[in-house]
Amino acid sequence: MAEKVVRISVTIPEKLYREFESVAKKTGFKKRSKAVSEALKDFISEHKRLDSLPKASCTGTITFTYLHGTPGLLEALTEVQHKYSKVIAASLHVHLDPERCLETVVIKGDTETFREMVEKLRTMRIDKLQYVVIPQR
């Protein structure tokens, strides 16, 4: 029996749409719905991976890029870093070009706080976010 499907509508930036369409075609997706489903599965899988971290002390990095001209973003990023200052061991700021910056934050704390910080940053208007977390035993 076929799985029940639902129809959704989303609004995304045109540049993201065009990039998604290009990648979907290059990877062989014949239907946009299938490509969107795969992207959603990856999104869910990543959330589950972060959510399933064992409760433990950890060390890790969170690296992200952003447009420094985004209204209110610098203030919000500063607020996050001050909120988590007890677990931030270091941070590195790099100017990639006249508009984009890269930030790497080194965390030494616990996995729950690490998860909170990643989730908070993901809700902000940043371009890309990657992390490495090493739970301690």
Side-chain angles (χ1 to χ4, degrees):
M1 180 179 230
E3 187 176 4
K4 183 178 176 182
V5 297
V6 295
R7 184 177 305 270
I8 63 170
S9 176
V10 296
T11 303
I12 58 173
E14 183 177 353
K15 183 178 176 184
L16 178 62
Y17 168 75
R18 295 203 186 287
E19 191 173 6
F20 180 81
E21 287 289 303
S22 174
V23 170
K25 285 179 183 169
K26 283 180 185 175
T27 54
F29 286 100
K30 296 190 184 342
K31 295 185 177 183
R32 183 181 305 123
S33 293
K34 180 67 175 161
V36 170
S37 291
E38 289 303 310
L40 288 171
K41 287 176 190 175
D42 286 346
F43 176 79
I44 292 166
S45 176
E46 175 59 26
H47 176 76
K48 286 180 177 179
R49 185 175 83 85
L50 186 61
D51 208 35
S52 69
L53 286 172
K55 290 187 179 185
S57 295
C58 72
T59 303
T61 61
I62 304 170
T63 300
F64 53 94
T65 58
Y66 61 92
L67 296 172
H68 76 260
T70 303
L73 183 59
L74 293 178
E75 294 83 1
L77 290 172
T78 299
E79 192 174 303
V80 168
Q81 289 197 19
H82 281 276
K83 178 179 179 182
Y84 293 99
S85 63
K86 290 182 179 177
V87 297
I88 295 176
S91 63
L92 170 70
H93 180 89
V94 179
H95 299 276
L96 299 173
D97 58 40
E99 292 87 28
R100 293 179 314 126
C101 296
L102 176 139
E103 191 96 16
T104 297
V105 181
V106 179
I107 306 294
K108 187 174 182 182
D110 60 79
T111 54
E112 190 168 318
T113 305
F114 187 91
R115 182 183 315 109
E116 281 177 21
M117 193 167 173
V118 168
E119 289 173 350
K120 177 64 176 169
L121 289 168
R122 279 197 174 141
T123 65
M124 301 172 82
R125 295 175 62 192
I126 59 176
D127 293 329
K128 296 179 176 134
L129 182 143
Q130 293 184 338
Y131 64 87
V132 174
V133 60
I134 305 165
Q136 306 299 310
R137 296 182 186 219

